[in-house]
Amino acid sequence: MNRRKDSFLAAAKMSPEIYRIAERSNGGVCTIGSCSTKPGIVTSVVAECRITLDQRHLDASALARMFEEAKEASERFAKEGNVTVSWERLWQIEPVLFNKDLIQMCADSITETCGKLHRLPSGPLHDAAEVARAGVPTVMMFVQSLHGISHNKIEDTKEEHLKMCVTAFDKLARGRWDRETRCVMRGTLNR
């Protein structure tokens, strides 16, 4: 056992480490979303192990620190296991903050409709991020998925939660922002 070069063992040590990295970041999120091994045979020591790491934070400098910590940890675990490590960036998006006024209006419409509010920073590549990046005031409203499962074929939402979400969204759309937006749009169309 002491002569093995088990790349899976080195990669597996990243799992608890990314939770520590996220905890230290004050608001960051880290996820290992996939793991594949070669040769992938039950009786063979893993020669190659690939994991994917998703890291998110609303602050770009904190996100960069999280990435550096993950790289340093992987290099430490590789050295301990007498294996090598390399990184390949699949994609990167700088954090995009949504409009503070719209966030508050969204929160108000949800609280008025549901009586309680849960704020959820989101980091995936939503179309809304590109809209916000283009300078258009943007906010996102989420509805609860059962058992916390989303982006999956078994994702489901209670009908009463969908109704509340539509009601809250309607209140947001009919709010002060909507009237201001219509004025801006009319001004734009008249030019």
Side-chain angles (χ1 to χ4, degrees), residues 9-23:
L9 179 59
K13 290 179 180 180
M14 286 297 291
S15 183
E17 185 63 24
I18 65 160
Y19 282 84
R20 290 188 283 272
I21 291 169
E23 189 175 296

Side-chain angles (χ1 to χ4, degrees), residues 77-178:
F77 300 142
K79 186 176 180 181
E80 289 172 6
N82 199 24
V83 296
T84 61
V85 63
S86 63
W87 284 77
E88 174 188 356
R89 189 171 301 232
L90 302 177
W91 53 264
Q92 177 179 354
I93 181 172
E94 290 296 315
V96 178
L97 300 179
F98 289 153
N99 181 277
K100 289 179 182 178
D101 292 333
L102 275 177
I103 291 171
Q104 186 57 53
M105 292 174 67
C106 185
D108 292 345
S109 70
I110 291 168
T111 302
E112 184 181 329
T113 303
C114 307
K116 60 183 174 179
L117 169 73
H118 300 282
R119 289 189 184 254
L120 176 68
S122 180
L125 292 172
H126 291 287
D127 294 346
E130 294 307 315
V131 173
R133 192 182 323 284
V136 177
T138 308
V139 69
M140 291 177 64
M141 182 183 293
F142 292 93
V143 63
Q144 179 181 358
S145 296
L146 292 175
H147 313 293
I149 298 172
S150 66
H151 301 86
N152 186 298
K153 66 181 180 180
I154 63 170
E155 177 180 2
D156 197 10
T157 301
K158 290 182 180 178
E159 191 170 329
E160 66 238 37
H161 291 169
L162 290 171
K163 288 179 182 177
M164 285 190 287
C165 184
V166 169
T167 300
F169 184 75
D170 183 61
K171 288 178 182 180
L172 173 63
R174 294 175 187 270
R176 178 184 59 85
W177 189 267
D178 181 52

Side-chain angles (χ1 to χ4, degrees), residues 53-73:
L53 175 62
D54 177 33
Q55 294 181 303
R56 303 175 189 185
H57 202 291
L58 293 177
D59 178 79
S61 59
L63 183 60
R65 280 192 306 275
M66 290 168 55
F67 179 65
E68 286 306 313
E69 285 187 48
K71 282 181 68 174
E72 289 169 8

